[in-house]
Amino acid sequence: MRQMITVVGSLNMDLLIDAPQLPLPGETVRGRNFRRSPGGKGANQACAVARMGVDCSMLGAVGSDPFGEELIAGLCADGVDVSAVRRVHRTATGVAMITVDFAGQNQIVLAAGANEVVSLDDISRHSRLLRGSAAVIAQLEVPIPVVTAALQEARQGGAIAVLNPAPCRALDDEVLSRCDWIVPNEIEAGQLVGRTVCSPEDARLAAVELRRRSGGAGIAVTLGGEGVWLETREFSGLIPAFPVRAIDTVAAGDTFIGAFVVRLVEGATPEEAARFGCAAAAIAVTRHGAQASVPHRAEVEAWLRER
Ligand code: RIB
């Protein structure tokens, strides 16, 4: 039977400017190279799944405006099934204003727009899709009750339930307990456990706590240029990042998650899946944009063969 992964989450149009440094509060920074590019954590992850060669469905919402049409067309071009993406009248499509500094770090301000009206009805209407998936991936740019219900449907159908708690919001342990995998970055992991995470040892401690609070989910804390801390029943350790010169880290985490979950669904061990995800993310950070930076599977495999 063909495997299929469903992503429940956001679609945003990203409006990007490069700047020498990220602005301080009240500061105006002279930037350059304004561009717009399809993004949204959910859509980026769906794009990554599809480019890794696995069938993918996107469940979410866009507004009735040209940005929405462009985002849907982009996902269709990658072969993502968008029949569960609702077009919402008199509502704007989500927009993310992104500043990227010359070291590739970014700062994002989001106007959620239609992402905020994804509803429990959407989840009920697409219950068969969620239950029939090999994995369901959700983030936190759509309402938390929707995420909770999607993870629950995934669990009931026997799908791998994956939560990327981004951007971080207060979450009950009950939500965490519906996950098979929780994949935060270091900032989100820190926010979830209430202390700073800035080293692999901090990540290990946060991962152990999240694993306990979730009742045994696998934890993958992405640590940018350091790699990924993996915490499962069988494995606890750092999967190192591949050294590259990053020019734009937007959607690096999304690329990792899409590639990581694809390999999990294919039966790879978490360590193998994380290494594959790190390779995909390493390629993504050498390119500009969100979906524009996500590599195809053949590129990731060729890249890994050279290492
Ligand atoms: O993870 C990167 C994404 O976060 C961007 O594409 C932006 O849309 C925000 O959702």
Side-chain angles (χ1 to χ4, degrees):
M1 201 175 79
R2 273 181 81 83
Q3 304 273 34
M4 194 266 296
I5 294 175
T6 298
V7 179
V8 178
S10 57
L11 300 94
N12 300 325
M13 186 56 77
D14 292 350
L15 306 179
L16 301 112
I17 295 183
D18 295 330
Q21 76 272 349
L22 303 178
L24 297 169
E27 186 185 19
T28 300
V29 172
R30 192 177 279 272
R32 64 179 191 209
N33 192 20
F34 171 74
R35 61 211 179 267
R36 74 161 198 264
S37 167
K41 294 182 194 304
N44 297 343
Q45 292 170 22
C47 166
V49 167
R51 289 189 192 169
M52 297 306 139
V54 167
D55 288 351
C56 184
S57 287
M58 175 85 214
L59 190 161
V62 294
S64 52
D65 52 22
F67 281 174
E69 291 310 318
E70 205 178 310
L71 293 174
I72 286 179
L75 287 179
C76 284
D78 273 307
V80 176
D81 177 357
V82 294
S83 49
V85 176
R86 187 155 58 93
R87 288 171 173 81
V88 186
H89 290 295
R90 284 193 283 278
T91 302
T93 295
V95 169
M97 308 282 293
I98 305 181
T99 311
V100 182
D101 75 12
F102 290 176
Q105 294 304 308
N106 63 70
Q107 193 176 59
I108 302 179
V109 180
L110 177 69
N115 296 305
E116 236 155 33
V117 303
V118 181
S119 67
L120 291 174
D121 276 354
D122 291 313
I123 298 299
S124 313
R125 202 168 329 112
H126 298 292
S127 166
R128 275 184 58 190
L129 174 73
L130 293 161
R131 291 184 185 211
S133 302
V136 172
I137 312 174
Q139 325 75 35
L140 300 180
E141 286 183 343
V142 295
I144 289 177
V146 168
V147 170
T148 310
L151 294 169
Q152 177 74 8
E153 291 284 347
R155 271 286 179 85
Q156 282 178 358
I160 304 172
V162 183
L163 175 64
N164 168 220
C168 193
R169 295 153 76 176
L171 285 182
D172 292 340
D173 287 357
E174 208 232 315
V175 180
L176 302 182
S177 74
R178 297 185 189 204
C179 302
D180 297 303
W181 279 94
I182 303 170
V183 188
N185 67 15
E186 64 266 63
I187 295 171
E188 293 140 9
Q191 288 167 335
L192 285 172
V193 299
R195 54 182 186 275
T196 314
V197 171
C198 52
S199 68
E201 177 58 11
D202 294 342
R204 183 186 72 78
L205 293 171
V208 167
E209 179 175 333
L210 290 174
R211 199 167 140 66
R212 179 184 52 73
R213 281 170 46 191
S214 64
I219 312 292
V221 182
T222 58
L223 297 167
E226 297 224 57
V228 176
W229 187 273
L230 262 193
E231 194 73 36
T232 69
R233 198 171 51 189
E234 296 83 17
F235 183 86
S236 173
L238 183 72
I239 306 298
F242 294 92
V244 288
R245 202 177 79 77
I247 61 164
D248 181 346
T249 57
V250 175
D254 300 328
T255 303
F256 170 83
I257 289 168
F260 175 67
V261 176
V262 161
R263 291 296 292 128
L264 286 182
V265 160
E266 290 173 345
T269 65
E271 299 95 287
E272 290 165 346
R275 186 164 186 272
F276 186 77
C278 284
I283 298 172
V285 300
T286 64
R287 300 172 178 172
H288 285 292
Q291 288 161 45
S293 71
V294 177
H296 287 82
R297 186 171 191 136
E299 298 172 79
V300 182
E301 288 177 346
W303 205 85
L304 276 169
R305 273 196 300 276
E306 287 162 16
R307 267 141 198 103

